[in-house]
Amino acid sequence: MQVKILSGGAAQGLVQALADRFKLETGYEIAGSFGAVGAMRDKLMAGEEADLLILTAAMIADLARQGRVDATSIQHVGIVATGVAVRTGEPLPAIASVDRLHAALSAAEALYFPDPERATAGIHFAKVLEKLGIAAWAKKARTFPNGAAAMRALASSRERPALGCTQVTEILNTAGVTLVGALPAPFELATLYTAGVSATAEWKTWLLWRNSTEFGITDPTFNMDVSFYTFTLPFLRFVLGFLFAAVVLGFIAAAVVHYIYGGIR
């Protein structure tokens, strides 16, 4: 069986690092879908099933208000900065001040970053480019559905010089790119990621169970009314999945704490 996760790309490295250990301890696999947080939210809203969501704190809070996330399950996972990257082996440009960042971005032949409409880092970076007044930045832009895809493209690109911008965790988890540093003040962005158990994936299952009636036909093998397989069994599976999603959430939170205090390296 699987625990289904819809997650922002910033948490992909952490979730994948825990997947083998989680399967060993629980017997359940983690099936994750990672991408721009806006795209992951849209998938949920469109009806895609998920046991656990890892999105920005603001999005999780909004989904909880809508009844799509169990508010009692919400846990903060961690804060992730937005940074600048280059291909591994390329010179690291100076970006520690607004003037130096402006010079580096102006000199770049190409800029790789995630979706400027639905990805947290992409939305922010597009605003930074506008505020800096980078001439014709749209012609330099190489945008992708998520930060991981943008960094992979940067790693294999031939344009020089080329820079990338996304969540620091996505930079650190992509081979072939090197973190230059976080965006300098006043353009720094630290995003709080939060996890919550989905409360809407099986609302129809709950309604069917809550309003179930017997069919009057008995299963000869287990001597049970066959309505059990239509109403009760799917609901029991939903409850089991919900509990395992809560286990995953606790597992991730514990891993973050251990990492911060040096227990995992």
Side-chain angles (χ1 to χ4, degrees):
M1 294 182 69
Q2 295 179 329
V3 175
K4 299 178 182 178
I5 297 178
L6 288 178
S7 171
Q12 183 172 3
L14 174 62
V15 173
Q16 290 180 340
L18 295 174
D20 290 341
R21 182 178 171 187
F22 181 77
K23 183 178 181 180
L24 181 65
E25 295 188 7
T26 68
Y28 279 65
E29 294 183 349
I30 294 178
S33 181
F34 303 93
V37 289
M40 296 300 101
R41 177 198 56 203
D42 291 347
K43 282 188 175 185
L44 179 74
M45 301 293 281
E48 182 163 331
E49 294 185 2
D51 299 307
L52 183 68
L53 305 169
I54 305 177
L55 304 172
T56 63
M59 282 188 178
I60 291 292
D62 183 56
L63 291 170
R65 284 191 293 270
Q66 297 178 39
R68 296 178 180 273
V69 167
D70 177 9
T72 64
S73 72
I74 294 174
Q75 295 286 335
H76 297 317
V77 175
I79 297 174
V80 181
T82 300
V84 175
V86 296
R87 281 186 301 270
T88 299
E90 296 289 324
L92 304 184
I95 62 166
S97 68
V98 172
D99 289 342
R100 290 179 175 179
L101 178 65
H102 183 280
L105 295 175
S106 297
E109 183 177 331
L111 300 172
Y112 289 76
F113 56 101
D115 191 333
E117 295 184 358
R118 296 196 291 180
T120 303
I123 293 170
H124 180 71
F125 189 55
K127 292 179 180 178
V128 170
L129 293 170
E130 291 285 357
K131 290 179 180 178
L132 286 173
I134 303 297
W137 69 264
K139 295 181 180 180
K140 300 182 179 185
R142 310 288 186 269
T143 60
F144 299 82
N146 54 67
M151 293 304 99
R152 289 194 296 269
L154 173 61
S156 61
S157 69
R158 296 180 180 274
E159 297 160 304
R160 287 181 172 79
L163 297 179
C165 182
T166 190
Q167 307 280 15
V168 166
T169 50
E170 293 176 304
I171 296 171
L172 295 176
N173 283 298
T174 302
V177 297
T178 299
L179 175 65
V180 178
L183 289 172
F187 300 126
E188 70 269 37
L189 175 66
T191 304
L192 175 61
Y193 281 85
T194 300
V197 175
S198 173
T200 61
E202 295 289 351
W203 65 271
K204 291 182 180 178
T205 301
W206 182 84
L207 287 174
L208 287 170
W209 171 77
R210 183 68 177 79
N211 298 283
S212 62
T213 58
E214 292 188 353
F215 290 166
I217 303 173
T218 302
D219 169 28
T221 303
F222 297 102
N223 198 33
M224 301 177 66
D225 190 276
V226 294
S227 62
F228 171 84
Y229 304 103
T230 302
F231 304 121
T232 305
L233 184 59
F235 178 72
L236 293 176
R237 286 176 174 169
F238 161 66
V239 171
L240 184 61
F242 183 93
L243 292 175
F244 267 95
V247 170
V248 174
L249 187 115
F251 201 86
I252 292 173
V256 170
V257 172
H258 281 293
Y259 182 83
I260 291 172
Y261 289 96
I264 299 176
R265 284 291 185 269

